[in-house]
Amino acid sequence: MFTSFSDIPGHQNLFLDYLYEFDNTKQFYPHNFRDKTGYVPNFEEVLNSRIVNREPLAAIIENQYNVFSASAKTTKNIQQLKLKKTLAVVTGQQIGILGGPMYTIYKIITAIKLAAHLSVQHEDYNFVPVFWMESDDHDFEEIRFINIIDAGNNNLRITYNDDFPLEENRGSVGDVIIQNTITSFFEELEKGLRKTDFTPQVLSLVRNFYSPNKPLKTAFKELLFHLFDEHGLVIFDPQDKSVKELLKPVFIREIDNFRRHSEKLIKTSATLEEVYHAQVKVRPVNLFMNYPRSEGAVEKGRYLIEPTESGFRLKNRRVKFTHEELNNYINSSPESFSPNVLLRPICQDYLFPTAFYIGGPSEVCYFAQVMPLYNMFGIKPPIIYPRSSATLVEKSIAQILEKYGISINDVFVNRDTIPDRVINSLSSIDIENKFKIAKNDVDKVFEDLRNLLVELDFTSVEVSEKFRLKILSSFDEFLNKSIEARKRKYEIVIRQTQKAVSNLIPGNNLQERELNFIYFANKYGLSIINTLFEEFSISKFEHQIISI
């Protein structure tokens, strides 16, 4: 079952037009992802746009896999990256604890299934699914929590605290070391999860990955490796010093041409704003630098590079560089630099021959701003392919929906009114309507009295109005008490409908944006991943409803 994204509140018009009215957006995107006749020409453009030696990147990835026993499929994919006819199907995400929201899983499945499909349809090329870990990112607040539905059917947020001030600039989150406080995180998780046959295995697994004294990016990669290595996913860490060596030309070009780049980005964003919405705020320079938090400090923070009249400075740090000094720093210590959200796709597609990028709604939108940079860096952009999107409907939830005649679209659009509407359908008394009629009758009586009294004594009219308002106020109080009495009578109905809503739209958001995979793995085992592989459609481009 599928439902149109346009029927689900909260999606930007740019994303909806990209899906359903591409002609409205073609000035911002060079490729229509639905036009399969344009695939092969784009493959050739990507392969021929830059003649590069593929060996160094493949060697870096091989080195990153030294501590893993990769499957035959993954090993083959890494080797294929050396071949001239190999193209990458790339996706990526922040390294959220325990994998972050479900959409991270959905992105990966889309990339793997699309690469497999393309390999069958286009036998002259090889397609490798690649996951770009956004380990350079510094937003610790965004990646330190998960959401589940607890044993009491309540939405529960579980947060990892590392005992450092939240406002502290930790630098790139990939380098953040897991502290002993992770035990409290898992204790709260174990307490919140409903106990099942799968609970011990699942908790043991993630505890092993997310153990103290391990970098967050290592734990994240181990988890993804466990879930997707058999499917051939190549997990890529851009923080690697060797990777940054390869990216030095991109970093230097950004510093040398930042004014021209930002002017073009601002112009594109302004054009977007005329009709849609610019997803990302444009900065003068699209680079960050990892630098000691204070004089003599060992720990480094991640700071945005900003231009000055005579050179550059680091935001929130009294550190300045001339143009030449900054370029020298890039040449000598490229590992200290990382791209922002607009430059990251350029770095990605400078390194990989990317045929497709798998993105969610927000990414589809910000690629409209990124596209001008591709021309300025001499790189052919990939086709932006919308990731699969889904809501998983458990059997108990499906039974509630069927019992009370609730549709999935009702949940998406009218979630706040569902309990009252269901009660009204079950109750023989329409309380709200009865009180509305009664209040109208009161108004009519007082209107007749006013017309009579105005001829006798005008002050009596004012007194009658006070009585009218007092009576109506009593009606409202009586109505509220009647509604509460009805709720008590239909307590089970309310509890069941609220359970369904909380499961399908947790936190008033799409399930895939809120819940962590461990909620489902705990109830159905890790085989839930295989179920998703079997059920997911990658060619409908609508929100999928999957019964599990």
Side-chain angles (χ1 to χ4, degrees):
M1 176 182 171
F2 297 87
T3 188
S4 171
F5 284 103
S6 58
D7 292 333
I8 303 174
H11 287 102
Q12 293 189 32
N13 289 335
L14 177 57
F15 174 66
L16 296 177
D17 277 1
Y18 185 77
L19 289 181
Y20 306 125
E21 301 289 344
F22 182 80
D23 283 351
N24 294 344
T25 68
K26 62 184 180 182
Q27 64 174 311
F28 303 112
Y29 302 94
H31 306 296
N32 182 348
F33 70 96
R34 292 183 184 270
D35 181 12
K36 295 182 180 181
T37 62
Y39 284 8
V40 171
N42 186 62
F43 299 163
E44 289 300 315
E45 283 187 356
V46 169
L47 291 173
N48 297 325
S49 62
R50 289 172 52 252
I51 307 301
V52 296
N53 183 358
R54 293 168 175 254
E55 293 286 341
L57 180 62
I60 290 170
I61 296 173
E62 287 174 334
N63 188 59
Q64 291 184 0
Y65 270 80
N66 272 344
V67 296
F68 295 90
S69 296
S71 67
K73 187 173 286 189
T74 298
T75 301
K76 179 182 178 182
N77 281 341
I78 294 172
Q79 295 304 312
Q80 284 187 328
L81 286 172
K82 302 175 183 179
L83 305 178
K84 292 182 179 180
K85 284 290 189 178
T86 295
L87 292 152
V89 178
V90 180
T91 192
Q93 189 59 40
Q94 293 168 296
I95 56 171
I97 193 164
L98 304 196
M102 284 291 287
Y103 61 63
T104 301
I105 304 291
Y106 299 170
K107 280 182 167 184
I108 293 171
I109 293 176
T110 307
I112 292 171
K113 293 192 72 168
L114 180 60
H117 172 76
L118 292 168
S119 295
V120 173
Q121 296 296 313
H122 303 279
E123 294 181 349
D124 292 339
Y125 304 90
N126 309 304
F127 297 90
V128 175
V130 176
F131 185 90
W132 179 290
M133 295 199 304
E134 294 181 17
S135 44
D136 275 317
D137 188 79
H138 63 273
D139 199 334
F140 180 71
E141 173 65 15
E142 284 191 3
I143 61 108
R144 73 189 185 108
F145 65 87
I146 64 168
N147 295 314
I148 63 169
I149 297 172
D150 67 15
N153 295 313
N154 301 305
N155 297 328
L156 176 64
R157 172 163 292 190
I158 303 171
T159 303
Y160 164 59
N161 296 296
D162 61 3
D163 280 350
F164 297 108
L166 192 56
E167 66 274 9
E168 184 172 287
N169 189 328
R170 291 167 173 77
S172 297
V173 292
D175 295 327
V176 171
I177 302 299
I178 299 172
Q179 303 297 309
N180 287 327
T181 51
I182 193 68
T183 57
S184 298
F185 172 88
F186 282 119
E187 286 170 0
E188 188 177 355
L189 175 60
E190 184 171 8
K191 183 179 178 182
L193 287 172
R194 187 185 301 275
K195 301 303 179 286
T196 72
D197 292 342
F198 302 107
T199 304
Q201 176 199 8
V202 171
L203 283 178
S204 175
L205 187 75
V206 292
R207 276 192 171 113
N208 182 54
F209 296 146
Y210 284 83
S211 56
N213 303 315
K214 183 185 292 185
L216 275 173
K217 68 176 179 182
T218 302
F220 183 89
K221 182 172 181 177
E222 288 176 353
L223 174 61
L224 292 196
F225 179 84
H226 183 86
L227 297 177
F228 296 107
D229 177 62
E230 66 178 292
H231 301 285
L233 180 69
V234 176
I235 307 166
F236 182 71
D237 178 13
Q239 273 193 296
D240 194 313
K241 183 177 179 179
S242 299
V243 173
K244 298 300 175 70
E245 285 284 347
L246 296 180
L247 288 173
K248 284 195 295 189
V250 175
F251 296 161
I252 290 174
R253 180 175 285 195
E254 172 62 19
I255 293 300
D256 290 348
N257 300 282
F258 74 90
R259 286 191 176 86
R260 196 161 62 90
H261 294 173
S262 62
E263 286 172 3
K264 186 64 175 176
L265 289 172
I266 289 170
K267 184 177 180 180
T268 300
S269 299
T271 304
L272 264 174
E273 288 284 358
E274 291 176 4
V275 182
Y276 299 110
H277 169 68
Q279 184 75 17
V280 179
K281 182 178 180 180
V282 176
R283 304 290 184 180
V285 180
N286 295 308
L287 272 181
F288 285 90
M289 183 177 183
N290 284 353
Y291 199 82
R293 296 178 195 153
S294 59
E295 191 68 32
V298 176
E299 297 84 3
K300 292 184 177 182
R302 186 175 185 243
Y303 302 98
L304 185 65
I305 298 173
E306 298 180 323
T308 65
E309 290 183 2
S310 58
F312 300 89
R313 70 181 180 191
L314 301 184
K315 187 176 182 180
N316 298 326
R317 288 284 282 115
R318 294 180 179 179
V319 178
K320 295 183 179 181
F321 304 92
T322 65
H323 191 140
E324 183 180 6
E325 286 173 338
L326 194 57
N327 275 347
N328 288 338
Y329 211 126
I330 292 172
N331 276 312
S332 62
S333 303
E335 69 277 9
S336 297
F337 297 84
S338 56
N340 72 356
V341 66
L342 294 177
L343 192 62
R344 184 200 57 75
I346 302 302
C347 293
Q348 162 197 294
D349 301 329
Y350 177 83
L351 295 173
F352 288 94
T354 310
F356 292 86
Y357 181 80
I358 311 300
S362 294
E363 290 170 298
V364 169
C365 291
Y366 78 60
F367 261 96
Q369 292 175 265
V370 174
M371 287 303 174
L373 285 180
Y374 279 93
N375 287 333
M376 304 181 94
F377 279 88
I379 300 170
K380 291 297 180 182
I383 298 169
I384 310 306
Y385 198 91
R387 66 163 170 82
S388 294
S389 173
T391 293
L392 308 185
V393 182
E394 301 177 68
K395 186 177 180 180
S396 62
I397 302 301
Q399 289 172 340
I400 292 172
L401 298 182
E402 183 178 1
K403 180 178 181 179
Y404 298 117
I406 305 169
S407 71
I408 288 290
N409 277 7
D410 281 338
V411 178
F412 290 150
V413 179
N414 303 307
R415 52 184 173 268
D416 295 332
T417 63
I418 284 176
D420 286 337
R421 288 194 296 114
V422 170
I423 290 172
N424 284 336
S425 70
L426 296 175
S427 175
S428 59
I429 304 173
D430 187 346
I431 295 176
E432 287 86 350
N433 190 49
K434 291 292 185 183
F435 272 84
K436 181 180 178 181
I437 293 171
K439 289 170 74 173
N440 288 338
D441 288 344
V442 169
D443 282 334
K444 187 176 184 306
V445 168
F446 272 87
E447 178 66 24
D448 292 341
L449 288 173
R450 274 197 301 272
N451 293 335
L452 176 64
L453 293 173
V454 73
E455 299 178 7
L456 302 175
D457 181 9
F458 186 78
T459 58
S460 298
V461 174
E462 295 180 348
V463 173
S464 72
E465 179 62 13
K466 291 180 181 179
F467 277 114
R468 185 186 74 86
L469 293 176
K470 186 175 181 179
I471 292 172
L472 291 178
S473 176
S474 297
F475 268 57
D476 288 337
E477 184 179 351
F478 190 19
L479 171 62
N480 290 333
K481 289 183 177 181
S482 300
I483 290 174
E484 289 302 316
R486 182 178 62 181
K487 286 182 177 178
R488 287 193 295 272
K489 180 179 179 181
Y490 291 100
E491 183 179 351
I492 294 176
V493 174
I494 293 172
R495 191 164 62 245
Q496 289 181 335
T497 54
Q498 287 178 339
K499 173 185 175 180
V501 171
S502 295
N503 188 288
L504 300 173
I505 304 287
N508 288 333
N509 208 348
L510 280 179
Q511 186 190 82
E512 63 185 24
R513 299 176 187 169
E514 292 290 319
L515 296 186
N516 180 265
F517 94 99
I518 201 166
Y519 166 73
F520 295 103
N522 176 64
K523 295 189 75 172
Y524 304 100
L526 293 175
S527 62
I528 187 67
I529 300 296
N530 292 329
T531 299
L532 295 177
F533 266 103
E534 293 170 3
E535 295 290 338
F536 259 34
S537 168
I538 62 167
S539 59
K540 288 287 188 179
F541 311 114
E542 293 193 330
H543 188 73
Q544 190 170 358
I545 311 302
I546 298 177
S547 298
I548 57 173

